[in-house]
């Protein structure tokens, strides 16, 4: 029998099969509850694997809806969401299961291993955070809130995707396209009535290319306006989501949603998060103002929001003699992927082997992963942008490494999704170095999930990891995309096969922290806005007023009044980062600290890297990250390494 599921999703029968699976699960739950003597093995493990298999069935639908979005996938996903949400909510509030879990943890405490204890402890906490111990009326209201929140998150995401796909700017004057990368010009070009025209869209490769290289300032402003005013209907959705989150936190006994969010994170309290963010802000402001002055000096007019990328590219070339386009021929997508695999083989002794498999799109691919020559996991790559795909980049875990009811090993699988420039029969996909960093980032998430050796699915891989620690492995790996030893493994000219020169690498490394303090301020703006937004109830104009107040400290150019960034802040309104966007910076402290230890030890012969594989990657969520980090480094994280990584004095 195959150790991996075959990727399949029958949309025609999905709802019927989902209902049947949930019906079967509910019958099984009642059977398990009727057992006289309940143990970890005959009760907890049974429920755990039952939930794992339901998630494995549902994941392909959510994946398809994100990467091959259509009216059909939207319809099925929209119908499926309330079904799975209602089931999950009722299960999370089941007082009988909650009681049995507490009894089993108490009665078997001496014989349970640390993985099993972690499963029980996290479940007990989640039951309490779902209101399992509350009265029926409160539980009913929490069910209603969860259902509505899931619907609103889906609507928010779909509105954003629709707005992105619905917009295009047609250029008819060739002068206005000059300066863009040739590959982007070719992708934008089309013929209409015998006239050559160029279509610029809000898809990331197209939008970023024009904002960075497009010389026509009026077009840049038009594109910027279109981007920051997407999905105005999301404004009402934001109000409802915030109100529901606030009500939910109150029902569960918390003062705010931020407080509720921290119940499952490393950060101890709200004050510690805001102190952490404001400390970084204080350290970054002086340098960010100096960086902005340099940028303003080269512009012939007062800088506006739609100017920064364009003049930043000019300044970067001037300061470092570096041209982003000079590098793209060295980052041909296939070479980068294969080189990254080679790097991971040298660092962790894992091998990637491509396999033939019919998937959801011709550009998708599948790989078996071997660790020490033993089959360990499987990944799917879907790396190129297209209209049917949600923007951004992500890792989506599918199967988790575990043992099943029969104590047979089951292996992990995951999807790696990006939105890189699409390849054609004529042009290969040539990446920006930022794209290379993104790929390494998502692969960091991926190996955190698939290399787990944990036998309990609910704490295997990324499952069970605190949200403010989950970015640690991704950020750790992305830092290597700037290391000369690593770049030499894959950066070769796609035509001449010339390896990237030391001079080019030196310029790239030196430019790594170009305008880094300004970048830090931008990320801190997102983090502070998200966290403060969830410390009390904000509605309507209060949301914009809060953002404006935060921007008084974080922005060097006042954004135009029409900028409605929050309507596109998918991370916190349709992702899992609500009151948790700070996690990127929190985890970056951990990742920077470990990264410098590995680099200082020579990278490939690093003892820290070996320990990182054994302690962080193999253990997954089976222990708190604070415990794992202490085991890895034998000390607390050194926060100064984050500023060093970003070149901030």
């Amino acid at each position: 029998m195959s150790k991996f599921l075959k990727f399949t999703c029958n949309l025609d029968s999905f709802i019927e099969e989902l209902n049947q699976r949930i019906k079967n699960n509910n019958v099984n739950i009642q059977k398990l509850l009727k057992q006289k003597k309940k143990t970890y093995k005959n009760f907890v493990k049974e429920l755990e694997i039952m939930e794992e298999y339901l998630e494995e069935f549902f994941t392909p639908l959510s994946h398809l809806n994100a990467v091959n979005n259509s009216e059909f996938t939207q319809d099925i996903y929209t119908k499926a969401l309330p079904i799975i949400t209602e089931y999950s909510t009722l299960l999370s509030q089941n007082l009988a299961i909650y009681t049995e879990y507490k009894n089993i943890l108490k009665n078997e405490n001496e014989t349970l291993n640390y993985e099993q204890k972690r499963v029980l402890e996290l479940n007990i906490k989640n039951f309490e955070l779902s209101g399992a111990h509350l009265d029926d009326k409160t539980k009913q209201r929490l069910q209603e809130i969860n259902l509505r929140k899931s619907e609103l998150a889906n609507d928010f995401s779909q509105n954003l995707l629709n707005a992105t796909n619905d917009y295009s700017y047609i250029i008819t004057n060739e002068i206005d396209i000059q300066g863009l990368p040739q590959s982007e010009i070719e992708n934008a070009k089309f013929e209409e009535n015998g006239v050559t025209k160029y279509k610029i869209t809000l898809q990331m490769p197209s939008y970023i290319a024009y904002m960075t290289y497009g010389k026509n300032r009026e077009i840049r402003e038009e594109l910027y306006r279109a981007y920051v005013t997407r999905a105005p209907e999301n404004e009402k959705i934001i109000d409802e989501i915030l109100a529901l989150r606030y009500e939910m936190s109150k029902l569960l006994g918390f003062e705010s949603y931020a407080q509720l969010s921290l119940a499952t994170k490393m950060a101890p309290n709200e004050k510690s998060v805001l102190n952490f963010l404001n400390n970084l802000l204080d350290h970054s402001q002086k340098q960010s103002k100096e960086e902005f002055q340099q940028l303003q000096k080269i512009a012939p007019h007062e800088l506006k929001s739609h100017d920064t990328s364009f003049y930043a590219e000019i300044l970067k070339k001037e300061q470092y003699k570096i041209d982003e386009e000079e590098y793209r021929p060295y980052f041909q997508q296939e070479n980068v992927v294969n080189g990254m695999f080679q790097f991971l083989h040298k660092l962790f002794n894992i091998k990637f082997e491509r396999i033939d498999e019919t998937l959801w799109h011709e550009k998708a691919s599948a790989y078996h992963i071997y660790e020490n020559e033993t089959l360990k996991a499987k990944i799917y790559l879907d790396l190129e942008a297209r209209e049917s795909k949600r923007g951004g980049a992500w890792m989506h875990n599918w199967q988790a490494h575990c043992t099943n009811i029969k104590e047979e090993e089951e292996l992990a699988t995951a999807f790696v999704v990006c939105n890189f420039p699409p390849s054609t029969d004529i042009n290969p996909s040539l990446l920006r170095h930022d794209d290379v960093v993104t790929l390494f980032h998502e692969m960091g998430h991926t190996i955190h999930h698939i290399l787990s050796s944990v036998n309990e699915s609910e704490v295997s891989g990324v499952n069970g990891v605190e949200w403010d620690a989950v970015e640690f492995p991704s950020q750790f790996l992305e830092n290597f995309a700037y290391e000369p030893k690593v770049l030499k493994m894959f950066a070769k000219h796609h035509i001449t096969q010339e390896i990237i020169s030391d001079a080019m690498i030196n310029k790239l490394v030196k430019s790594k922290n170009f305008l880094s303090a300004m970048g830090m301020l931008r990320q801190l703006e997102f983090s502070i806005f998200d966290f403060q937004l969830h410390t009390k109830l904000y509605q309507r104009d209060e949301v914009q007023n809060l953002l404006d107040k935060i921007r008084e400290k974080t922005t060097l150019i006042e954004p135009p009044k029409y900028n409605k960034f929050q309507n596109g802040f998918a991370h916190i309104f349709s992702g899992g980062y609500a009151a948790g966007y700070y996690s990127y910076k929190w985890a970056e402290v951990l990742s920077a600290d470990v990264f410098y230890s590995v680099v200082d030890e020579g990278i490939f012969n690093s003892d820290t890297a070996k320990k990182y594989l054994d302690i962080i990657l193999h253990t997954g969520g089976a222990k708190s990250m604070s415990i794992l980090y202490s085991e890895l480094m034998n000390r607390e994280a050194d926060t100064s390494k984050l500023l060093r990584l970003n070149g901030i004095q």
Side-chain angles (χ1 to χ4, degrees):
M1 178 178 161
S2 172
K3 289 181 177 289
F4 303 108
L5 295 173
K6 178 178 173 58
F7 185 88
T8 182
C9 184
N10 187 332
L11 295 174
D12 292 314
S13 62
F14 189 89
I15 299 298
E16 181 182 353
E17 189 170 350
L18 176 63
N19 280 318
Q20 187 59 52
R21 284 172 178 263
I22 286 176
K23 182 180 178 182
N24 293 344
N25 279 10
N26 285 327
V27 170
N28 287 336
I29 289 168
Q30 294 309 310
K31 285 183 180 178
L32 292 172
L33 283 169
K34 287 178 181 176
Q35 296 178 112
K36 287 187 177 180
K37 182 171 175 54
K38 301 176 187 67
T39 64
Y40 189 95
K41 184 176 181 180
N42 73 13
F43 188 72
V44 180
K45 187 73 174 183
E46 292 274 354
L47 286 170
E48 181 185 28
I49 293 299
M50 186 180 75
E51 288 307 292
E52 170 71 9
Y53 290 167
L54 181 61
E55 187 65 29
E56 288 174 359
F57 169 74
F58 194 84
T59 295
L61 173 64
S62 54
H63 175 69
L64 275 184
N65 195 49
V67 300
N68 255 7
N69 187 276
S70 67
E71 288 187 7
F72 195 17
T73 65
Q74 291 173 37
D75 180 54
I76 300 303
Y77 187 73
T78 302
K79 289 176 179 174
L81 204 55
I83 298 171
I84 194 76
T85 302
E86 180 183 28
Y87 166 78
S88 299
T89 302
L90 287 171
L91 185 63
S92 69
Q93 295 180 340
N94 191 306
L95 183 60
I97 299 176
Y98 167 58
T99 302
E100 293 300 341
Y101 273 32
K102 289 199 295 183
N103 290 338
I104 291 168
L105 180 60
K106 179 182 177 181
N107 296 336
E108 299 184 35
N109 201 18
E110 297 300 317
T111 57
L112 294 170
N113 62 41
Y114 71 87
E115 293 179 11
Q116 294 166 335
K117 286 181 181 177
R118 178 79 167 162
V119 168
L120 285 166
E121 288 164 356
L122 288 180
N123 269 288
I124 289 167
K125 178 181 283 187
N126 288 333
F127 274 118
E128 291 168 353
L129 293 176
S130 298
H133 57 300
L134 300 176
D135 62 82
D136 290 343
K137 183 180 178 181
T138 304
K139 286 201 279 192
Q140 177 61 36
R141 180 55 187 152
L142 287 168
Q143 291 170 28
E144 294 166 358
I145 289 173
N146 281 329
L147 178 58
R148 184 59 180 155
K149 281 201 306 162
S150 68
E151 292 171 346
L152 290 168
N154 183 46
D155 291 345
F156 187 100
S157 180
Q158 193 62 51
N159 289 342
L160 201 55
L161 179 61
N162 291 344
T164 301
N165 289 339
D166 288 347
Y167 179 88
S168 63
Y169 187 95
I170 306 301
I171 294 174
T172 55
N173 190 336
E174 282 197 12
I175 293 174
D176 293 333
I177 206 78
Q178 288 176 5
L180 266 70
Q182 191 58 40
S183 57
E184 292 298 336
I185 292 175
E186 292 301 321
N187 286 336
K189 185 189 292 185
F190 69 100
E191 297 286 329
E192 187 174 70
N193 299 325
V195 178
T196 299
K197 298 180 180 180
Y198 304 88
K199 182 168 79 169
I200 308 299
T201 72
L202 299 182
Q203 302 281 346
M204 273 299 100
S206 179
Y207 177 74
I208 289 175
Y210 204 91
M211 297 306 291
T212 306
Y213 302 103
K215 296 178 181 179
N216 189 314
R217 194 179 185 214
E218 290 182 2
I219 294 177
R220 289 202 310 271
E221 182 174 11
E222 169 60 30
L223 290 169
Y224 172 82
R225 181 189 292 270
Y227 190 79
V228 300
T229 58
R230 289 176 301 163
E233 61 271 40
N234 280 352
E235 187 171 348
K236 288 185 178 180
I237 291 177
I238 288 172
D239 280 349
E240 190 173 353
I241 288 174
L242 291 175
L244 290 171
R245 287 174 179 168
Y246 183 75
E247 182 185 357
M248 176 181 176
S249 62
K250 286 291 190 179
L251 290 173
L252 291 168
F254 295 91
E255 289 300 312
S256 67
Y257 189 81
Q259 196 180 84
L260 168 60
S261 171
L262 292 183
T264 54
K265 293 181 172 69
M266 289 178 71
N269 52 52
E270 294 158 287
K271 185 179 178 181
S272 66
V273 172
L274 290 171
N275 284 347
F276 168 72
L277 295 173
N278 285 314
N279 182 51
L280 289 177
L281 183 61
D282 291 341
H283 278 90
S284 305
Q285 281 184 322
K286 180 176 181 291
Q287 186 171 319
S288 67
K289 290 174 183 175
E290 293 169 354
E291 291 172 354
F292 179 72
Q293 287 171 0
Q294 291 179 333
L295 198 60
Q296 181 63 74
K297 279 181 183 177
I298 66 164
H301 48 70
E302 182 184 355
L303 286 173
K304 299 294 184 183
S305 298
H306 53 274
D307 295 319
T308 50
S309 295
F310 180 75
Y311 286 104
E313 183 64 18
I314 293 173
L315 182 62
K316 193 175 183 181
K317 288 178 183 177
E318 184 181 289
Q319 285 190 350
Y320 301 101
K321 311 301 179 192
I322 189 169
D323 181 354
E324 184 86 33
E325 284 309 296
E326 181 187 355
Y327 286 81
R328 284 180 63 171
Y330 291 87
F331 297 134
Q332 194 261 346
Q333 183 194 130
E334 186 177 356
N335 290 342
V336 173
V337 170
N338 290 334
M340 179 181 64
F341 290 163
Q342 184 186 353
F343 161 63
L344 290 170
H345 178 62
K346 284 194 72 173
L347 190 66
F348 296 129
N349 199 25
I350 56 175
K351 185 171 70 175
F352 297 76
E353 183 180 281
R354 185 161 181 167
I355 55 175
D356 290 328
E357 189 173 337
T358 302
L359 299 173
W360 56 90
H361 194 273
E362 61 182 9
K363 295 292 181 71
S365 55
Y367 296 81
H368 280 158
I369 290 87
Y370 295 83
E371 184 178 3
N372 299 321
E373 303 302 323
T374 301
L375 182 62
K376 180 71 175 178
K378 180 179 180 180
I379 63 168
Y380 299 89
L381 302 187
D382 187 348
L383 303 181
E384 297 185 10
R386 55 180 176 269
E387 284 192 3
S388 62
K389 186 191 284 188
R390 178 163 61 86
W394 63 91
M395 182 282 293
H396 192 164
N397 48 304
W398 187 12
Q399 294 174 270
H401 179 276
C402 63
T403 56
N404 60 25
I405 299 300
K406 298 178 182 178
E407 299 186 356
E408 300 165 331
E409 182 182 36
E410 298 196 357
L411 304 183
T413 56
F415 305 101
V416 183
V417 183
C418 297
N419 273 276
F420 297 153
S423 57
T424 66
D425 293 338
I426 301 171
N427 298 310
S429 175
L430 302 180
L431 310 186
R432 298 172 303 126
H433 185 258
D434 282 352
D435 295 328
V436 178
V437 173
T438 295
L439 181 61
F440 272 61
H441 179 100
E442 299 308 332
M443 187 54 66
H445 281 307
T446 304
I447 61 174
H448 189 201
H449 185 67
I450 64 172
L451 295 185
S452 175
S453 297
V454 175
N455 291 324
E456 304 298 326
S457 64
E458 290 184 353
V459 293
S460 180
V462 298
N463 298 331
V465 178
E466 297 97 329
W467 200 259
D468 47 5
V470 79
E471 295 294 335
F472 161 30
S474 55
Q475 292 168 339
F476 167 73
L477 201 69
E478 77 172 54
N479 291 328
F480 289 100
Y482 283 94
E483 281 301 303
K485 285 182 185 179
V486 179
L487 286 166
K488 290 275 189 179
M489 299 176 78
F490 59 80
K492 59 182 180 181
H493 198 285
H494 72 105
I495 296 175
T496 66
Q497 302 303 303
E498 171 197 10
I499 301 293
I500 193 168
S501 67
D502 290 333
M504 288 182 72
I505 290 177
N506 288 338
K507 286 195 291 185
L508 188 66
V509 172
K510 285 180 180 177
S511 69
K512 172 180 178 287
N513 288 322
F514 174 67
L515 303 184
S516 62
M518 288 176 63
M520 176 71 82
L521 253 61
R522 179 173 167 79
Q523 287 299 309
L524 291 172
E525 177 184 306
F526 299 164
S527 300
I528 295 169
F529 170 63
D530 162 51
F531 201 76
Q532 287 198 349
L533 186 64
H534 291 97
T535 56
K536 66 176 190 177
L537 179 58
Y538 289 87
Q539 292 283 280
R540 295 177 290 280
D541 291 346
E542 293 173 340
V543 176
Q544 185 66 53
N545 292 341
L546 173 65
L547 182 55
D548 291 343
K549 185 177 180 181
I550 292 166
R551 282 173 169 169
E552 290 175 6
K553 285 189 173 182
T554 60
T555 56
L556 300 162
I557 300 175
E558 184 179 349
K561 295 296 182 185
Y562 60 73
N563 180 309
K564 297 295 179 183
F565 154 77
Q566 60 270 29
N567 292 346
F569 201 177
H571 273 77
I572 71 168
F573 293 118
S574 63
Y577 284 84
Y581 196 86
Y582 79 89
S583 301
Y584 281 102
K585 289 303 171 193
W586 191 274
E588 203 173 338
V589 171
L590 309 182
S591 63
D593 199 6
V594 178
F595 168 71
Y596 280 119
S597 293
V598 172
V599 169
D600 291 345
E601 293 168 0
I603 300 179
F604 296 120
N605 295 312
S606 163
D607 288 336
T608 302
K610 293 184 178 71
K611 289 174 66 180
Y612 176 84
L613 173 64
D614 290 336
I615 294 171
I616 304 297
L617 300 184
H618 284 165
T619 311
K623 291 182 182 179
S624 169
M625 187 60 77
S626 58
I627 295 172
L628 294 178
Y629 195 85
S630 179
E631 289 180 11
L632 174 64
M633 302 298 285
N634 296 313
R635 57 172 173 76
E636 291 187 357
D638 182 355
T639 55
S640 69
K641 298 291 177 65
L642 172 58
L643 295 170
R644 174 187 166 187
L645 184 71
N646 286 273
I648 296 173
Q649 304 300 320

